[in-house]
Structure formats: structure tokens, C-alpha cells
Amino acid sequence: SSILKLMAAFYTPNKGKIESNITEYSLIEQDTFLFADTFFHNIACGDIQALLTNREAMLERVVNAADTAELDDFIESLPKAYQAYCAEHGKNLSGGQRQRFSIARCVCRDAELLLLDEPTASLDPATEQAVMRNLLSVFQNKTLLLVTHNLQLVESFDYIYVLKDGHVAESGTHKELMNRQGLYCRLLQE
């Protein structure tokens, strides 16, 4: 989590420097702030510029983003659908639904790099798998950096870094790490 926050310039490094262009990043954290506004606006605010310039085109983007985050069925089941009201801080939603709104917001932004910090921690296993499958599909030609304790989520990632005590203990593809029979393999088998 700290590495992602350094990359997104939420923290300033004590030593050295991180060269990055934070305008390119979308960071999904476990805690999501939702506004007292419509569900449409809570997702569309992921790309304010597009919302202000072409509101009609945003509806399709918002629906696609909600679908990626496995929210579309829930929102469509509401009497006012995307125009339904969200309570401030998402108090009328479950923790998993709030996390999925954060994911939808970042998908709507259409960033080239997405930083994921335990983005599915509050989701049930089936929804978690569906959301990750959708994210990997939507971002297949982009970059996803995922911090997670659930190693099953990273098996299909191109490259994996295993951290232990603040240092990289192992790195490689899932297959390479499994073949080494090291820390990654042991953690997956627990």
C-alpha cells in the first residue's frame, strides 16, 4: 500500500525520488468517498472533464464502468436506476458496493495505469473473481498494479512481486514463482 501511495504522490519519499506523472494514475483504495448525489454522478466523477464536455456520451461510459465493477444489475434494479440517490459516504450501500463504485469510477476515467490497493477486500469470492476478470479484460492493453493479500487474484498477471518485511523477496511470473517453490508458492498453498 505504501508503495502505491508513493507512486501516486500521496507520500513524499524520505530518500531518493520517484519519477511519475500522477495525472496518468487512478488509485483504487479500500475506502471510497461517495458523494450525496446520483449513482451516475458518483461514477462519472472519475472523468469530470468528459462529464462537463459531453454528458450524453458519459452515460454509456458510466454503464460500461458499472458493468465492469459488477454494479449494473444492482443499479438497474433501483426505481430510478442511475438517477437513484446515493447517501453521503455511501451509507445506503454495503462495503462491497462502495468498493465497486470506486472501481467503476476508475474504469470510467479510462487511465492507462490503474493502481489497485486491496480493491476487492470487501467482496464475496464470486464477485471478487468476476470483477477481477472484468478489470483484466478492460485493461488488457494497459497497466494494472495490484496490492493484495489474496494471491489467487494475481495468478494471471504478467509479473508478480512478493514483498516481505518491506523488501522484494521474489519476483517473476506465476509459473516461475511456483517452480521455485519459495515464499510465493508456500503462501499460495496456505
Side-chain angles (χ1 to χ4, degrees):
S1 296
S2 296
I3 292 170
L4 292 186
K5 289 178 181 174
L6 281 164
M7 290 179 69
F10 291 168
Y11 297 156
T12 304
N14 294 335
K15 295 181 185 177
K17 66 179 182 174
I18 295 178
E19 294 184 28
S20 66
N21 180 356
I22 64 167
T23 61
E24 298 291 319
Y25 299 167
S26 288
L27 175 61
I28 297 177
E29 297 186 88
Q30 291 181 46
D31 299 318
T32 303
F33 184 83
L34 293 167
F35 304 98
D37 204 331
T38 65
F39 289 130
F40 171 82
H41 283 125
N42 269 287
I43 295 171
C45 74
D47 192 345
I48 291 290
Q49 185 68 24
L51 177 61
L52 295 174
T53 58
N54 192 348
R55 185 177 170 81
E56 292 302 315
M58 278 305 286
L59 181 57
E60 184 178 350
R61 283 180 62 187
V62 165
V63 170
N64 288 338
D67 193 46
T68 298
E70 295 290 316
L71 274 173
D72 186 55
D73 289 344
F74 162 71
I75 294 171
E76 289 291 347
S77 73
L78 301 170
K80 293 184 179 178
Y82 284 87
Q83 295 308 310
Y85 188 80
C86 179
E88 189 165 339
H89 299 288
K91 290 181 180 176
N92 56 338
L93 301 170
S94 70
Q97 288 169 327
R98 285 191 300 272
Q99 271 192 309
R100 288 184 283 157
F101 269 94
S102 180
I103 291 168
R105 186 180 287 167
C106 287
V107 169
C108 189
R109 181 172 177 189
D110 196 28
E112 290 298 313
L113 173 62
L114 184 60
L115 307 175
L116 305 163
D117 186 4
E118 297 284 359
T120 59
S122 296
L123 304 183
D124 64 84
T127 304
E128 179 180 58
Q129 290 298 320
V131 168
M132 285 307 300
R133 188 173 44 253
N134 295 345
L135 279 173
L136 289 171
S137 174
V138 168
F139 283 85
Q140 67 184 358
N141 295 319
K142 299 178 183 186
T143 302
L144 289 175
L145 293 176
L146 172 68
V147 170
T148 184
H149 290 89
N150 182 349
L151 296 181
Q152 279 124 7
L153 295 179
V154 299
E155 290 180 14
S156 60
F157 275 58
D158 294 333
Y159 209 76
I160 301 165
Y161 291 92
V162 182
L163 300 179
K164 182 177 182 184
D165 300 325
H167 295 81
V168 176
E170 292 181 308
S171 63
T173 65
H174 170 74
K175 185 177 180 181
E176 290 168 348
L177 292 170
M178 290 304 288
N179 287 339
R180 285 188 203 137
Q181 297 291 305
L183 178 61
Y184 177 81
C185 184
R186 287 192 305 276
L187 289 171
L188 252 179
Q189 293 171 350
E190 285 182 359

